[in-house]
Every structure is written in structure tokens, then in C-alpha cells.
Amino acid sequence: MLELIDTYWLYFLVGQYPEGPLGGLALTVLLSGAALVLALPLGLLLGIARVSPYRAISLPVAALVQVVRAVPLLLVLFWVYFFLPALTGVKTSQASTMLIVLVVFDSIYLAEIVAAGIRALPKGQLESARSLGLGYGAALRHVVLPQTLRHGLPSIVNQLVSTIKATSLGYIIGLSEVSFIATQINTLVFTQAVEVYLILALTYFILCFGLSRLAFLLERRLQRRSAQAS
Amino acid sequence: MFFDPTILQSGQYHDWLVQGLVLSIQLTIVSFAFALPFGALLAVMRTSSFALPRAIGATLVEAIRNVPLLAHLLFWYFAFPELLPESLREVLYANNPEVVCAVIALSLYAGVHMAEDIRSGIRAVPATQLEAARSLGLGRVAAVRLVLLPQALRASVPPLLSQTVNLWKDSSVATVIGAAELMYQAARVETASFRSLEAFTFATLAYLTVSLLISAAAHLFQRRYPVRTA
């Protein structure tokens, strides 16, 4: 196992970079982070729309959430991979295809986190902000959203864990993320499948377990602080 | 023709897609049948008053859920057979190894998520319930069986059903090891006929229908049997 790591660690980490496109673990982490950051403003908007008092706004978003959560990410990946080039006439790379799909899914899941956070706030927060003369938008921006986001932070970290796990599905369209690179290493060495895939599993485990512990610690800290406040 | 519905109504492509749908449903049902008892066992271990089963349960849950399903599938399909003795490996290779390995991976992955749902169901029952049952003269086992579990399971049914939706969607990932489920067959039709629009529409509607049916069941259950608050 050590010999394997010694020979292939660089390939595992960055793929063919700098001779070719960036790949491996670096691509997995970069893609997940970028997807979450890009999805955040969209998720915020969708989340606010989801709890909007106007049904004309909240209903379509609710329907969108239902549909996206009912289909496998893999299927949407195939749709985008086959039809985006046909529609735009430009061949999209595997990485940008994956990024688009991840942003769509992340913004939907973030919207649910934001909506749940807004609903969990005491109603008086919005009402008193409004009665102080703030408009709906200003009340959301200055009073409701800062609190929602602070409480939603652990969930957002957990969403990052889900995104990291979801990038592995890029394997199927030939995206050279870490699972794909591991399979290529497996083909190169041929006889050490157990070691190769244990290293892959361990890598994901360290990354995801570390992040979910961070989410757990954040949650505990928030709980302690709100216990002190009340 | 831009969209040719006839290939979905009969003929070879229709047969492939229906076979895929049937295998997807079978994969989900069989994996569910393994995942639920596995999850229940893990949940009982994690809520045990002894430290050893608690530690084993927690380790299994964290080790399995922090690794993406795709990496599980790669491990079970490419690495696991290497660990088997020769005779068992031949048995595996003679009996649809793709499907067997997909069931192992899906059951483990769904099982740990179900374990967490059942565990929070158990924790949602106030501790006083068990104490009251004991002080009425029920034994430890009888108190758990007659008082704790009925309430815990009732609270876990809605999250377990939404976990079943996840299992249904996750069955699509089995395509990566060549299990001929719906996603695999849709891609196969795409490659053979270039009728990607029809193939993916069929797959999307099938995934959507089954997911929404399970979600509707969860909704109905929650209405019919709301969680009683103590």
C-alpha cells in the first residue's frame, strides 16, 4: 500500500496537471467548493421565494424543489451532458457540465436549508422589524437572513460533504476527479484493487468525516451561545 | 422526427428500458429488505447503554456514510472479489456479480442512513416513558418492546420513507459497475439509436413517478398517524 502511495500520490492528487487538465483530489475539492459558493446566492433567492407570502412565487419554487429532489443527480448529469452541446453548439467540458449540475442541486438543497431557517425564526422577528418601519426586503436583509445564515452554517457545511460525495458521479461522464483517477491507477497496477480502492475510500472518509465533525462542533457552539443568550 | 414516442411503446428499445426499470425496482426492494434490519441493528447498538456496541455502531455508520456510494460500488465490484477464496469467487462470478455487488453496496449505504433515522426516532421518545413503564412493573425488554419501540418506529416512518426515495435514486449509480438497471439501459438506447431525448425522457418520468409515489405515501402516513407529542 505504501509503495502504491509512493508511486502514484502526485497523480492521485492532481491528475495529469501540469501536462494536462487538473484532476484527482484537487479537482474534487475545487469543484465541490466552487459549486457550493456559486449555489449560495441562488439558494438564498430560492429559499426566500419558498417562504414568500405570495403563492404565485412560492408554488413554482416548491414544485421545482419537488422535481429536482425526485430525480437522481446522475440522470440530470446525462441530460446536461448530452443536450447542452446540442442547444448551445459549444462542446462543454466534463468539469463545466458537472459544475452546472452541482450548482442546480446545491441551490435547491440550500433553498430548503434557508427556508427551514427562516421558518424556525420566531415570527416576532419579522413582525417587529416590519413594525419598526423596515420594508419586507430590508427586514429580510437586516434582521431575518443574518440569523438564518448563522444557524444554517452547520447545514451548509454538511451540504459541502454531500457535494464532495456527489462529484464522484462525474466518473460516469469521464470527469478526471479522484474516483476516476483511482480507477486509472487500478488499471495501471492491475493487481492491487483492494489497496487502490481502500486508499480512495480512506481519502473520502478523512475529507468528509473531518468536515462533518466541523459541522457538529459549529452546531454545539451555536447551541451553547443561544443557551447563554436566553 | 424530433421526438418519436413509438420507440417507447414497443420494440427492442422499449424492452430494454422496461427491463431496466424492472431491475431498478428489484434492486431497490432487495436492498431495502437488507438495509432496514441492518439499520435497526445499528440504531439499537448506538443507543445501547454499553460502550462497546455504541463504539462499533458509530464507527460503522461514520465509515460507511462518509464515503460516496460510487466509491463503495467500485470497492465491492473490483476489490471485494479479490478478498474471497477461489471457490466463493467462482460462485459470485457465475451469479450476476454486478447485481450482487450493487445490492451489497446499496444495502450498506442505505442501512447506515436508516440507522440514523431510527436512532433519532428512539431518542425522540422522552426518557420518562421508559421510566414510567419500568415503574409500572414492566421488565426491561417488555418496556422497550411495548412502550419505547412502537413510539420510536412511528416517528421514524416518514424519514425512513424519504430514505427509501434516496435508495431508489441511488440505485441509478449501480450503472457504474454495469448493472443493467434503468440508467444503464437509457444510456444503452442512447448509444444504439441516438434517440437520447426519448430514452432520457422515459428514465426521467420513471424516476419521477416512483419517487413521488413514495413521497406521497410518506405524506399520507404523516397525516393518518401524526407523531403524538408527550
Side-chain angles (χ1 to χ4, degrees):
Chain A
M1 199 171 192
L2 284 177
E3 196 189 332
L4 204 63
I5 296 176
D6 199 42
T7 319
Y8 291 107
W9 67 273
L10 191 63
Y11 190 47
F12 190 74
L13 280 184
V14 294
Q16 292 177 316
Y17 192 78
E19 274 85 50
L22 185 70
L25 191 60
L27 182 64
T28 294
V29 172
L30 215 68
L31 207 53
S32 320
L36 195 69
V37 169
L38 289 177
L40 215 76
L42 251 171
L44 216 55
L45 274 179
L46 286 172
I48 293 168
R50 185 102 164 84
V51 293
S52 159
Y54 303 105
R55 302 199 80 183
I57 298 175
S58 67
L59 275 183
V61 178
L64 183 71
V65 168
Q66 281 291 337
V67 169
V68 171
R69 278 156 55 119
V71 294
L73 191 142
L74 196 55
L75 188 72
V76 179
L77 189 62
F78 269 56
W79 274 110
V80 174
Y81 193 57
F82 284 107
F83 290 114
L84 211 62
L87 283 179
T88 58
V90 187
K91 178 96 183 78
T92 33
S93 71
Q94 283 99 342
S96 39
T97 307
M98 194 68 216
L99 188 65
I100 293 169
V101 175
L102 286 175
V103 168
V104 169
F105 272 77
D106 272 350
S107 55
I108 292 289
Y109 284 89
L110 286 174
E112 288 298 279
I113 293 171
V114 170
I118 294 177
R119 287 198 196 105
L121 268 192
K123 240 187 167 161
Q125 293 285 333
L126 183 65
E127 280 165 11
S128 50
R130 292 301 301 276
S131 67
L132 283 171
L134 291 178
Y136 186 73
L140 277 180
R141 206 170 57 238
H142 297 300
V143 179
V144 174
L145 284 182
Q147 301 186 66
T148 308
L149 281 182
R150 200 173 328 123
H151 285 113
L153 198 59
S155 310
I156 294 173
V157 176
N158 276 327
Q159 188 56 36
L160 182 60
V161 174
S162 304
T163 314
I164 289 172
K165 295 201 287 176
T167 51
S168 68
L169 295 175
Y171 174 98
I172 288 163
I173 56 167
L175 174 72
S176 60
E177 43 70 55
V178 69
S179 305
F180 190 82
I181 295 288
T183 303
Q184 288 198 318
I185 293 174
N186 183 40
T187 323
L188 287 173
V189 294
F190 194 63
T191 50
Q192 288 172 290
V194 176
E195 283 93 337
V196 171
Y197 287 116
L198 274 182
I199 294 172
L200 177 68
L202 212 62
T203 307
Y204 275 122
F205 175 78
I206 294 169
L207 200 59
C208 297
F209 182 68
L211 280 168
S212 60
R213 290 309 289 177
L214 175 71
F216 176 75
L217 289 178
L218 279 173
E219 201 160 355
R220 264 228 318 237
R221 203 163 143 191
L222 277 169
Q223 264 167 13
R224 213 176 312 138
R225 195 178 299 168
S226 59
Q228 276 169 359
S230 60
Chain B
M1 202 189 298
F2 181 62
F3 187 92
D4 182 7
T6 55
I7 71 158
L8 296 180
Q9 283 152 10
S10 59
Q12 190 188 26
Y13 301 138
H14 162 86
D15 294 345
W16 286 358
L17 288 167
V18 172
Q19 277 166 21
L21 176 59
V22 170
L23 184 64
S24 282
I25 294 174
Q26 285 170 336
L27 272 178
T28 306
I29 293 174
V30 175
S31 304
F32 181 86
F34 285 116
L36 192 62
F38 175 58
L41 179 72
L42 281 177
V44 170
M45 282 168 82
R46 292 204 68 180
T47 49
S48 157
S49 45
F50 300 104
L52 186 67
R54 267 207 319 267
I56 297 174
T59 310
L60 277 173
V61 168
E62 296 297 349
I64 294 174
R65 80 166 170 189
N66 281 309
V67 173
L69 178 62
L70 186 111
H72 279 285
L73 283 161
L74 294 176
F75 176 83
W76 288 102
Y77 187 65
F78 291 113
F80 166 68
E82 310 265 303
L83 296 170
L84 291 174
E86 191 68 43
S87 54
L88 274 178
R89 199 183 316 163
E90 272 165 23
V91 174
L92 176 68
Y93 283 143
N95 290 294
N96 243 332
E98 297 86 15
V99 174
V100 174
C101 295
V103 167
I104 298 175
L106 284 168
S107 305
L108 290 175
Y109 197 71
V112 297
H113 287 97
M114 289 180 176
E116 292 303 276
D117 291 333
I118 299 173
R119 184 170 75 118
S120 52
I122 292 175
R123 284 176 32 163
V125 180
T128 47
Q129 291 282 325
L130 206 56
E131 283 164 18
R134 292 302 301 278
S135 67
L136 283 171
L138 288 179
R140 208 186 144 74
V141 176
V144 168
R145 195 166 56 89
L146 297 172
V147 177
L148 179 72
L149 277 184
Q151 299 186 66
L153 285 179
R154 187 170 178 164
S156 337
V157 168
L160 281 178
L161 281 171
S162 89
Q163 219 47 258
T164 311
V165 175
N166 287 341
L167 173 60
W168 163 246
K169 291 190 295 174
D170 283 345
S171 71
S172 65
V173 186
T175 189
V176 72
I177 55 169
E181 43 67 73
L182 183 53
M183 202 62 233
Y184 181 90
Q185 298 287 22
R188 187 175 166 209
V189 171
E190 203 278 334
T191 322
S193 65
F194 299 107
R195 310 299 321 198
S196 43
L197 196 59
E198 290 83 353
F200 293 143
T201 302
F202 180 93
T204 305
L205 290 179
Y207 279 116
L208 207 60
T209 311
V210 175
S211 296
L212 292 179
L213 280 178
I214 305 173
S215 304
H219 191 72
L220 278 181
F221 182 90
Q222 229 165 347
R223 252 212 185 150
R224 184 85 178 68
Y225 303 101
V227 176
R228 294 199 194 105
T229 42

